[in-house]
Amino acid sequence: MTDQAHAHSDPDASPLGKVVATYRDTYAPELLYPISRTPKREEIGLTTDNTRGHLPFMGADLWTAYELSWLTLRGKPEVALATFTVPCESPNIIESKSLKLYLNSFNMTRFASIDAVREVLVRDLSAATGVRVGVKLVLPEAFDAQPIHELSGLCLDRMDIDCDVFQPAPELLTAALDELPVTETLTSNLLKSNCLVTGQPDWGSVQITYSGPQIDQAGLLRYLVSFRGHNEFHEQCVERIYMDILTRCQPVKLQVYARYTRRGGLDINPWRTSHPAAAPVNVRTARQ
C-alpha cells in the first residue's frame, strides 16, 4: 500500500490503558494506531522482511466487531456486525483500543449506503496495516443466522496434569521423532495470556492441526498453560506458539488457530498455517 500509515514500535504510546477524555463520534481515521510486527517477530527469530516469501507461515488475523453504527443521510442510525481479515504478511497490526475508538467515530457520521461504509473501512484499515484488508458487514436481518460453534478436535483439557510453569516454556514440547508420523487436531480452552500494555487477562481457545511426529499431549497442554503469566498481544502469542511447535516438534504441516474472547466489542482470532489452505470460517465460540 503506497498510503501506508506510519507504524509505531512502542505499544505503550498507544491509547491502551489511558483515559479517553472525549470520545470522537464523527469520522476520525487518525485514531487508528498501527504497531509494527517486526520487533516481536525478531524476538522469536523471524526475519525483519515481513513478506509471505520470507515468513515460515501464511495466514491472517480474523477480527469481529460487534459495535458498529452510523447514520444514513437522513440521520437514521444503522447497525451491523463487521469482520476484518488482516493478512499476516501485513507490516503492521492495529492496536485494538484504537480500532474501537476509530469505529466509535462512525456513530454520528452520515454515509450514503452500507457500501460506502465498507469502502471507507477497507481504505483506512488497509492504509494502517500496509496490505489490503478484507471487510464484510452483516446487517440485522442476518443476525439470527450467525452460528456459535466450538473448535473441533481432541480436547487436551481432559487430562489431569500438574502445572507449575506460567511463562512460555518451549522445552515442555516433545514429539516422537523416531516413530511413524500422525495427522491430528488438538484443542484447548485453557489458553490465557495478558495484554502487553495493561496486563489485563486475555482468554482464548486454541486449535492445533499438524502432520508429523506425534506431539506429547501432556507436554503440549503444559506448554499452552505456561502462557498464563505472559504479556503479549494475541497475534504475537499465536506466532510464538507456532514457531515453538515448529522448532521443537518438527511437523511437516502445521496450523495454529486461536479465538480470543472479545474486549471492547472486538474479538481477534489469529490463524497461521505452514501450507496454502482456506482460512477458517469466522464463527464465534460460546465464550465470545
Side-chain angles (χ1 to χ4, degrees):
M1 301 289 297
T2 57
D3 57 348
Q4 178 184 331
H6 173 68
H8 305 274
S9 59
D10 181 11
D12 290 322
S14 76
L16 269 176
K18 298 179 177 63
V19 175
V20 178
T22 304
Y23 281 86
R24 299 279 297 275
D25 61 5
T26 53
Y27 176 61
E30 66 274 13
L31 292 172
L32 291 171
Y33 190 89
I35 298 176
S36 172
R37 293 189 192 263
T38 297
K40 278 294 181 177
R41 285 183 169 170
E42 288 179 338
E43 280 188 17
I44 56 175
L46 295 181
T47 175
T48 57
D49 185 356
N50 292 332
T51 63
R52 178 172 294 180
H54 293 80
L55 289 172
F57 48 69
M58 297 167 275
D61 304 323
L62 312 176
W63 293 64
T64 313
Y66 294 90
E67 299 174 7
L68 176 62
S69 183
W70 66 94
L71 302 179
T72 67
L73 293 182
R74 299 175 63 188
K76 178 187 174 184
E78 298 281 358
V79 297
L81 300 178
T83 60
F84 310 133
T85 302
V86 182
C88 70
E89 64 267 25
S90 67
N92 310 320
I93 62 174
I94 297 175
E95 187 278 304
S96 60
K97 185 174 180 180
S98 79
L99 180 55
K100 171 185 171 64
L101 296 174
Y102 163 74
L103 294 177
N104 281 343
S105 79
F106 283 51
N107 291 349
M108 297 298 290
T109 304
R110 300 183 184 226
F111 291 91
S113 66
I114 188 173
D115 289 334
V117 174
R118 184 185 298 109
E119 289 171 6
V120 169
L121 289 167
V122 170
R123 182 190 67 209
D124 294 343
L125 298 180
S126 299
T129 61
V131 297
R132 183 172 177 83
V133 172
V135 175
K136 177 183 176 182
L137 300 182
V138 178
L139 290 173
E141 52 264 32
F143 284 178
D144 196 43
Q146 301 308 299
I148 297 176
H149 196 276
E150 298 306 301
L151 295 174
S152 61
L154 178 63
C155 186
L156 298 171
D157 307 343
R158 72 189 190 283
M159 295 183 289
D160 185 15
I161 61 171
D162 294 324
C163 298
D164 56 9
V165 179
F166 301 108
Q167 287 293 334
E171 63 272 15
L172 294 171
L173 294 167
T174 61
L177 301 179
D178 56 351
E179 297 181 6
L180 291 175
V182 301
T183 297
E184 61 183 359
T185 298
L186 306 172
T187 66
S188 175
N189 296 311
L190 302 184
L191 181 61
K192 174 200 168 285
S193 53
N194 304 312
C195 173
L196 180 63
V197 176
T198 67
Q200 294 184 41
D202 294 322
W203 305 95
S205 299
V206 62
Q207 179 188 66
I208 296 163
T209 302
Y210 74 96
S211 296
Q214 187 164 34
I215 297 173
D216 176 70
Q217 293 182 9
L220 177 57
L221 181 56
R222 290 190 181 97
Y223 167 75
L224 294 173
V225 170
S226 75
F227 278 74
R228 197 168 183 87
H230 183 60
N231 292 3
E232 209 165 38
F233 290 143
H234 305 354
E235 302 93 331
Q236 298 160 352
C237 285
V238 168
E239 292 186 357
R240 186 178 295 274
I241 292 169
Y242 180 99
M243 291 303 298
D244 284 346
I245 294 174
L246 185 68
T247 301
R248 302 283 301 191
C249 302
Q250 302 177 32
V252 177
K253 290 185 176 181
L254 176 64
Q255 291 191 63
V256 178
Y257 177 40
R259 295 199 65 89
Y260 280 88
T261 58
R262 79 180 77 163
R263 180 183 293 168
L266 297 166
D267 64 41
I268 308 172
N269 311 286
W271 166 67
R272 301 293 183 267
T273 176
S274 62
H275 54 284
V281 179
N282 193 9
V283 174
R284 73 183 180 97
T285 64
R287 289 196 296 166
Q288 295 184 294

